[in-house]
């Protein structure tokens, strides 16, 4: 199987889907001639032309809103927000409109839109190019939020998002773009939205996380295996609505749960994961549910020592896993 | 006899009588809603009164088979023209399961019907403006010959979404008609505290689009402006911003009391220009609306509203558990 | 002590504060001549004049953004969002700006703004006039979110918010406005932001909630007392950042915790409360942490039977408390 | 000798030499940042190059004791004029603790200093425009005679926040100067794909404000326009929208490669109109900038940048744990 980077998987999925269905088009800032500031849409303008790969004005609310209108009228837009941090001007369109259109129209109108955005830190992006912003949207029924960790999942989940008849926020970890590589088949396949996946089987501690942190957890698990600690790792993949069954099963498996996010701690989506476990696994737990997250400060600072202080990394995850295993 | 203005616009006597009847029906539906509200039978009303002429005039200038509308909460005149019935509106007023707009999930005034090409509306103002632009873009991508039409109040024309959407349509020369129904107030705030420009249509140049302000009490003036805007759009000349000037004859909604912020005689004065009456006078003056016709129309409208009310009041609510449905595809 | 309604406490606090400090001014839609659509600012325009009670254009992002600018330049604005549902166009100004200005400027600039908004359901407001939207903001360090339940707390907390040198979102339950009455002293006092309060002492089950639901819980507790079930009720009051100590203490007190919100369940702020308890009260719990919330549907429908289906009420709370007590 | 244009504007020879030196210093700071970036010493640069004339011309027309500025990320010329030093900018480039803008918390280009009356800036474009309006409102409420000045790119003028803020200022006739630095591109997207109007200043009428487009390569033209705008503002005539036309001479930022979307000769062509050089020529042509003065200025700027770089590079970072501070009042 060909090995591809995380961002190549994005481009490949877009390319294959656009070829498959001419209702799909792309809109966003610099997605055309420039191929996106991260080059996720590279080659698509040349291949599919200006009409289907649209450089929009610098207006996120309109990108979302125009996308929603086009989706209602039968197209399948894939909108790009240049950075997840800049999705905020579009919150009203996403939350009041995209999320509620099927419901409020009693199933008459639908919004098959995918909104992609690069999120996450560790790239010297400072406060406004490093944020995890899933928590802002992770309380809005009608939306789905996908945050893949591997190139394989990227391709399969992005295809599933584009084919979904409901709005999907698709957050791509920008540091993973070129850092993470993996096997990605040339064949057409989808990965189901709403399903977590066990990325490693283990017996002693369960780690649940998503995005880049999945790799941190896997690396930490390797290290800990040498010490005889066996880690079970669940990649949430869809962070809203959560895969409750998989969460409950993974928590019950080891009775010791560590939840990891690179977002701030208070109010992050792992709080909801903890609540689900606390509600359903009362008799299964052997230790308090632990959370490892960024500190509760507004966002990642720019200066390298401060950024490092904020970001979780394999060592921090390893440390937290060991502590829990020893509980 | 006065000058016949509608023939010059290519409208037959039947057309204008239909327009008039739609305006009157809108008014009657609205008046009934208020009565039902005051009688405690429906919790909420938001009115079209004073804007029927602009709404019906505009909607008649569109192609009801091809065009898509994204109206705002006052647009009873638009949705009636696009095929919604008084019964549909009453079902919505009573929030009954059969309401085609939302199955009783939304307040009245939140229109929507895929069959009738009316995009579903929400409460936060001006979001629909972007949707109209998106639908126009979709129409172009699909190769359809159509335009989209969207409306909003003058207060709402200050929202960011109006600006971003108008600019998007301007840059992409999309076939969108933006119609601002300027009724002088945004709830209690008069237009001078909302806008510093003389006319909302002054904003058109900032989007490289055609702009025009017309008398919103005159359905023929609005018809003419929208018709031309539609022709420009179809010819590929891009969007237009049409402002219709009228006056909000009722309080903002059934929750409002307008006596605290405007003088009763200001409202009385405005009633003299009420399009429903001035259009009737015009139709009489050109001999199209005879006394007989007039009472026929009034009776038809009243009967229609009566039947609609009766039907809607008796219709069932949706089942409580049905609230769980249609969050996602099922 | 005079008995006042919840909304009278709002007006009184605004009035007293504006009299005390002429840096305070009000801005919002219809707050002037009209005195607000709920009449929360009634009389203030007449008393303090047009310059300090400003009817703005219909633009929430500008209301927040202009308020932020004025706050940076030495004023203390109190902005009103007409309905909490309509705060969404202002999310970017609130989250990217208000919340981050002190931090990003390394303590150089500050934003002493209070943003008030009526939230909550049970008023035939349908999808867009009934929402609880605290969860959208409850992951943003730099912000504080206050949601009082009693007229006494309204006055004291609103004063504390206005005097705070940090941005505060102050959400008022619109159904409580005229429904809830209570003693409100004429004297000047503040209630500290960030502190929960035990509204009823009890031994068997702990209920933690906020806003109107506090009253539902108190009513339910009265009923259950007749059956010999004693309920401990903690009013969170500030929902972000949460009062962790008080939460831990109240949970440990009875070992049985019911969390109540009228918001949707998944992703609501009570998930974070559950996570805190799960992390800190492992050895104290005698039952799984229970949550009672609205269903995970986009928002409250308009039709009365559907609205009722969505809304929590004293009976639903009572039922959940009894079940937990019997666990 | 050419016509002396600066005297007519009330500017002394010293004034214009100062302006020139500030423009040159801005350029030199910027050029150094690129070198440091390419050498791997600083992670990011975003440039003022091509916009110094507009920035410095505008900032000189303001009252640096009273006015408040809300600049955008390219405005090195504005902040230098308002008292920020090359060393401050380098401290920010290196993200060191002593950086007065943010203590190294923000990327370079995110200006802010209470002492210098520069509102703190973020990355999402155009939010600062609302803050400038708010500061002007605060100034009025406090009874101060001041104006606020805010800048943004032409691409950013399409954001909702621009519209809402401009409208707010227009309605309340606030003393705000909105300056759009039109440099023809928003990253890769050329102005024609951003805007359908001929000039960004065409938007002024929609806010009932004065609008004007001037040559952004000519600091005197910009100075004149901003000075008049300031006078109008102080006289209570409300806000102005001034557009300066220039060209972005560098890639969008150090992360960009502009060869993928624009022709090299387009950039070369624009360099001929580079304000730093054309203003030098003007000053030479009126006999103000002699050869001797010129090399003095160049040397001073270079020395200043050298020292600033050295200082900043050697300065310490903030302590890692300091990241926890100043979330709330402490
Ligand atoms: C985003 C948003 N903010 C506030 C409101 C509350 N609101 C409903 S209608 C209205 C006034 C609208 O005025 P205008 O646009 O002039 O339309 P009109 O009602 O006069 O027809 C307001 C403030 C809303 N619906 N949406
Ligand atoms: C809200 C938001 N969206 C996207 C971006 C990413 N971005 C940074 S600068 C820029 C282009 C700005 O163009 P323009 O306004 O013309 O200013 P210029 O850079 O040309 O000076 C974009 C898209 C951003 N900073 N903020
Ligand atoms: Mg109006
Ligand atoms: Mg530009």
């Amino acid at each position: 199987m060909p090995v591809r980077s995380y961002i190549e998987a994005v481009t490949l999925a877009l390319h294959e889907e656009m070829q498959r269905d001419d209702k799909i088009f792309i809109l966003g800032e610099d997605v055309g001639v420039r191929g996106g500031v991260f080059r996720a849409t590279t080659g698509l303008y040349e291949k599919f032309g200006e009409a289907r790969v649209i450089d929009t004005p610098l207006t996120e609310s309109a990108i979302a809103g125009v996308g929603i209108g086009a989706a209602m009228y039968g197209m399948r837009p894939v909108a790009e927000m240049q950075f997840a941090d800049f999705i905020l001007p579009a919150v009203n369109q996403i939350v009041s409109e995209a999320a509620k259109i099927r419901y409020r129209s009693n199933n008459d109108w639908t919004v098959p839109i995918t909104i992609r955005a690069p999120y996450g830190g560790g790239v010297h992006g400072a406060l406004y190019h490093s944020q995890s912003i899933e928590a802002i949207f992770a309380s809005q029924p009608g939306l789905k939020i996908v945050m893949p960790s591997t190139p394989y999942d990227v391709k399969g989940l992005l295809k599933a998002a584009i084919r979904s008849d409901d709005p999907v926020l698709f957050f791509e970890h920008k540091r993973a773009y070129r850092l993470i590589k993996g096997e990605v088949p040339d064949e057409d396949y989808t990965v189901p939205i709403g399903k977590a996946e066990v990325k490693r089987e283990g017996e002693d501690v369960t780690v649940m996380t998503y995005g880049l942190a999945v790799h941190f957890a896997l690396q930490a698990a390797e290290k800990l295996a040498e010490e005889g600690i066996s880690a079970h790792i669940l990649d949430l993949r869809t962070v809203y609505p959560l895969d409750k069954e998989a969460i409950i099963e993974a928590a019950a498996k080891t009775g010791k749960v560590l939840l990891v996010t690179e977002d701030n701690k208070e109010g992050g989506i792992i709080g909801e994961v903890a609540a689900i476990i606390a509600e359903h696994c009362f008799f299964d737990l052997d230790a308090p549910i632990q959370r490892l997250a960024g500190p509760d400060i507004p966002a990642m600072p720019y200066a390298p020592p401060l950024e490092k202080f904020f970001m979780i990394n394999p060592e921090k995850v390893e440390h937290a896993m060991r502590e829990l295993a020893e509980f | 006899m006065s000058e016949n203005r509608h023939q010059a616009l290519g409208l037959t006597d039947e057309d204008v009588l239909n327009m008039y009847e739609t305006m009157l029906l809108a008014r009657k539906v609205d008046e009934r809603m208020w009565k039902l509200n005051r009688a405690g039978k429906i919790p909420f009303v938001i009115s079209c009164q004073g804007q029927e002429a602009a709404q019906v005039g505009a909607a008649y200038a569109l192609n009801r088979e091809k065009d898509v509308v994204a109206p705002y909460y006052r647009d009873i005149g638009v949705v009636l023209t696009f095929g919604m019935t008084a019964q549909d509106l009453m079902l919505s007023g009573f929030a009954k399961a059969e309401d085609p707009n939302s199955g009783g999930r939304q307040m009245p005034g939140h229109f929507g019907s895929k069959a009738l090409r009316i995009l579903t509306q929400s409460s936060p103002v001006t979001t629909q403006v972007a949707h109209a632009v998106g639908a126009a873009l979709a129409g172009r991508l699909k190769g359809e010959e159509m335009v989209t039409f969207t409306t909003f109040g003058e207060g709402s024309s200050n929202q960011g979404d109006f600006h971003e959407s108008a600019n998007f349509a301007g840059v992409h020369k999309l076939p969108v008609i933006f119609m601002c129904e300027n009724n002088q107030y945004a709830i209690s705030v008069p237009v001078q505290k909302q806008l510093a420009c003389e006319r909302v249509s002054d904003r058109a140049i900032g989007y490289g689009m055609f702009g025009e302000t017309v008398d919103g009490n005159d359905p023929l003036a609005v018809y003419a402006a929208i018709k031309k805007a539609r022709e420009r759009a179809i010819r590929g000349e891009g969007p237009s911003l049409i402002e219709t000037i009228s006056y909000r004859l009722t309080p903002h909604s059934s929750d409002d009391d307008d006596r605290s912020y405007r003088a009763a005689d200001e409202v009385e004065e405005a009633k003299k220009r009420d399009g429903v009456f001035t259009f009737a006078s015009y139709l009489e003056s050109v001999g199209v609306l005879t006394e007989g016709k007039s009472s026929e129309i009034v009776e038809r409208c009243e009967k229609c509203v009566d039947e609609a009310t009766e039907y809607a009041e008796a219709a069932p609510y949706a089942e409580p558990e049905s609230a769980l449905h249609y969050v996602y595809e099922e």
Side-chain angles (χ1 to χ4, degrees), chain A, chain B:
Chain A
M1 248 195 275
V3 169
R4 295 188 160 99
S5 69
Y6 189 104
I7 195 167
E8 283 166 355
V10 173
T11 314
L12 185 64
L14 292 172
H15 191 278
E16 288 182 13
E17 288 300 292
M18 288 183 78
Q19 208 146 23
R20 187 186 56 77
D21 180 356
D22 61 14
K23 292 216 165 58
I24 298 166
F25 72 99
I26 288 176
L27 76 169
E29 296 157 10
D30 305 289
V31 297
V33 183
R34 181 80 179 79
V37 295
F38 288 99
R39 308 252 179 230
T41 55
T42 199
L44 301 178
Y45 180 89
E46 291 73 14
K47 179 76 185 279
F48 299 106
E50 193 171 17
R52 287 181 69 198
V53 186
I54 302 175
D55 271 330
T56 65
L58 173 35
T59 52
E60 287 76 11
S61 188
I63 292 171
V66 169
I68 290 166
M72 279 201 270
Y73 199 57
M75 300 298 289
R76 305 190 83 86
V78 182
E80 175 176 303
M81 299 285 158
Q82 197 159 83
F83 285 84
D85 316 63
F86 304 142
I87 203 173
L88 296 184
V91 166
N92 191 41
Q93 283 288 352
I94 296 171
V95 171
S96 298
E97 301 297 326
K100 295 183 174 62
I101 278 175
R102 182 190 291 276
Y103 191 79
R104 77 176 185 229
S105 69
N106 208 21
N107 218 26
D108 195 22
W109 290 98
T110 57
V111 186
I113 193 175
T114 301
I115 301 180
R116 297 178 39 248
Y119 80 99
V123 297
H124 306 307
L127 276 81
Y128 298 99
H129 299 79
S130 304
Q131 289 174 57
S132 298
I133 44 79
E134 62 276 13
I136 290 178
F137 298 99
S139 54
Q140 300 299 327
L143 286 185
K144 296 177 182 177
I145 308 177
V146 174
M147 302 180 79
S149 66
T150 65
Y152 181 92
D153 285 352
V154 164
K155 179 173 164 183
L157 281 164
L158 184 49
K159 285 180 169 240
I162 292 171
R163 296 180 196 181
S164 163
D165 279 336
D166 289 306
V168 178
L169 300 182
F170 194 88
F171 294 134
E172 301 158 7
H173 200 293
K174 68 175 89 71
R175 181 139 174 257
Y177 269 160
R178 290 183 168 80
L179 185 69
I180 303 299
K181 298 190 169 63
E183 296 194 330
V184 180
D186 283 328
E187 291 78 60
D188 180 43
Y189 66 92
T190 61
V191 168
I193 295 174
K195 293 280 167 229
E197 188 185 55
V198 176
K199 283 281 191 312
R200 180 187 172 110
E201 293 279 350
E203 306 299 330
D204 301 326
V205 284
T206 297
V207 182
M208 304 190 199
T209 185
Y210 55 100
L212 184 60
V214 170
H215 300 279
F216 297 168
L218 288 169
Q219 284 169 48
E222 288 295 318
K223 283 270 186 87
L224 291 169
E226 297 165 14
E227 302 171 25
I229 299 172
S230 154
H232 189 75
I233 296 175
L234 186 74
D235 179 357
L236 296 169
R237 298 202 295 200
T238 296
V239 302
Y240 188 85
L242 286 161
D243 183 350
K244 294 184 190 58
E245 271 173 56
I247 289 169
I248 293 166
E249 195 182 315
K253 175 103 193 275
T254 71
K256 290 184 172 181
V257 180
L258 172 67
L259 307 175
V260 182
T261 181
E262 69 169 79
D263 197 3
N264 312 114
K265 184 170 183 181
E266 181 166 351
I269 67 105
I270 59 171
E272 177 64 32
V273 179
I276 292 168
I277 299 168
E279 208 163 337
H280 295 283
C281 306
F282 184 68
F283 297 107
D284 303 307
L285 291 182
D286 301 320
I289 303 166
Q290 296 297 314
R291 287 187 286 170
L292 176 67
D296 283 326
I297 62 179
M300 227 166 276
Y302 181 57
L306 280 66
E307 184 187 58
K308 201 172 156 213
F309 176 83
F310 186 112
M311 265 304 275
I312 54 151
N313 57 35
E315 293 70 41
K316 294 182 189 177
V317 178
E318 183 190 327
H319 178 79
M321 285 165 73
R322 188 182 294 108
E323 288 228 318
L324 186 58
E326 290 164 359
F327 183 91
Chain B
M1 283 246 251
S2 306
E3 185 205 343
N4 185 313
R5 292 171 53 224
H6 63 270
Q7 274 172 12
L9 292 169
L11 290 166
T12 64
D13 291 354
E14 205 192 324
D15 288 331
V16 285
L17 282 173
N18 278 337
M19 286 169 73
Y20 173 65
E21 184 161 345
T22 309
M23 286 167 58
L24 193 70
L25 181 60
R27 175 68 54 95
K28 297 268 176 205
V29 167
D30 204 278
E31 287 173 346
R32 179 63 56 87
M33 294 269 196
W34 279 89
K35 282 205 187 118
L36 292 165
N37 174 263
R38 292 321 185 207
K41 293 198 172 184
I42 65 175
F44 184 77
V45 188
I46 192 150
S47 273
C48 62
Q49 293 186 42
Q51 296 167 228
E52 298 90 341
Q55 293 164 2
V56 174
Y60 261 86
L62 299 174
N63 182 323
R64 282 163 270 169
E65 254 81 66
K66 295 182 171 177
D67 298 343
V68 168
V69 297
Y72 90 122
Y73 45 82
R74 299 203 187 280
D75 277 326
I76 295 188
V78 172
V79 299
L80 282 176
T81 308
F82 263 69
M84 201 161 279
T85 66
Q87 180 173 307
D88 294 337
L89 293 167
M90 281 297 167
L91 283 163
S92 157
F94 280 97
K96 297 302 177 67
E98 221 185 310
D99 158 31
N101 298 283
S102 75
R105 290 175 170 196
Q106 292 215 84
M107 289 177 148
H110 292 62
F111 306 112
S113 162
K114 202 162 185 175
L116 301 178
R117 314 179 67 77
I118 303 168
L119 297 180
T120 171
Q121 301 304 308
S122 63
S123 306
V125 297
T126 335
T127 47
Q128 78 278 9
V129 178
H131 304 168
V133 176
L137 178 65
R140 172 182 293 175
L141 285 165
K142 296 200 263 178
E144 294 181 5
E145 193 189 81
M146 54 85 84
V147 309
T148 63
F149 169 77
T150 185
T151 58
F152 45 88
E154 80 293 347
S156 302
S157 79
N158 300 313
Q159 282 278 345
D161 268 9
F162 163 74
H163 178 66
E164 297 192 5
S165 305
N167 180 64
F168 195 112
V171 167
H172 289 276
K173 278 200 171 301
L174 291 170
V176 186
I177 302 170
F178 301 88
M179 186 169 101
C180 177
E181 300 185 26
N182 183 343
N183 62 5
Q184 320 291 332
Y185 283 90
I187 309 190
S188 71
V189 183
V191 64
Q192 317 84 275
K193 286 192 173 179
Q194 288 286 342
L195 300 153
C197 49
E198 267 179 58
R199 292 176 299 265
V200 175
S201 63
D202 285 344
R203 294 185 165 166
I205 187 176
Y207 311 114
M209 66 173 75
F210 181 88
E212 184 179 0
T213 296
V214 297
D215 178 359
N217 286 315
D218 179 358
L220 298 180
V222 178
Y223 174 87
I226 299 296
K227 200 172 162 67
K228 278 190 228 130
R230 189 176 191 282
E231 286 161 5
R232 279 191 302 274
I234 294 290
R235 281 199 305 269
E237 293 168 27
S240 300
L241 173 59
I242 310 296
E243 174 186 19
T244 62
I245 308 277
S246 61
Y247 189 88
R248 197 190 74 208
L249 296 174
T250 62
H252 172 72
S253 74
S254 52
D255 291 340
D256 184 32
D257 179 355
D258 61 341
R259 291 168 304 182
S260 63
Y261 56 82
R262 63 181 185 183
D265 53 359
E266 183 186 301
V267 184
E268 284 317 306
E269 195 52 41
K271 280 190 177 157
K272 293 183 192 153
R273 292 183 300 274
D274 180 345
V276 174
F277 294 103
T278 54
F279 192 48
S281 304
Y282 162 78
L283 294 176
E284 283 159 17
S285 75
V286 292
V288 172
L289 189 68
T290 59
E291 229 169 273
K293 276 240 165 61
S294 178
S295 44
E296 241 176 64
I297 290 176
V298 170
E299 268 168 47
R300 212 159 38 223
C301 287
E302 281 173 353
K303 183 154 173 278
C304 175
V305 173
D306 285 342
E307 289 173 359
T309 308
E310 213 170 308
Y311 182 91
E313 194 167 2
Y317 286 120
E319 288 301 315
E321 289 71 24
S322 76
L324 297 174
H325 287 298
Y326 310 135
V327 179
Y328 300 101
E329 192 177 14
E330 287 178 8

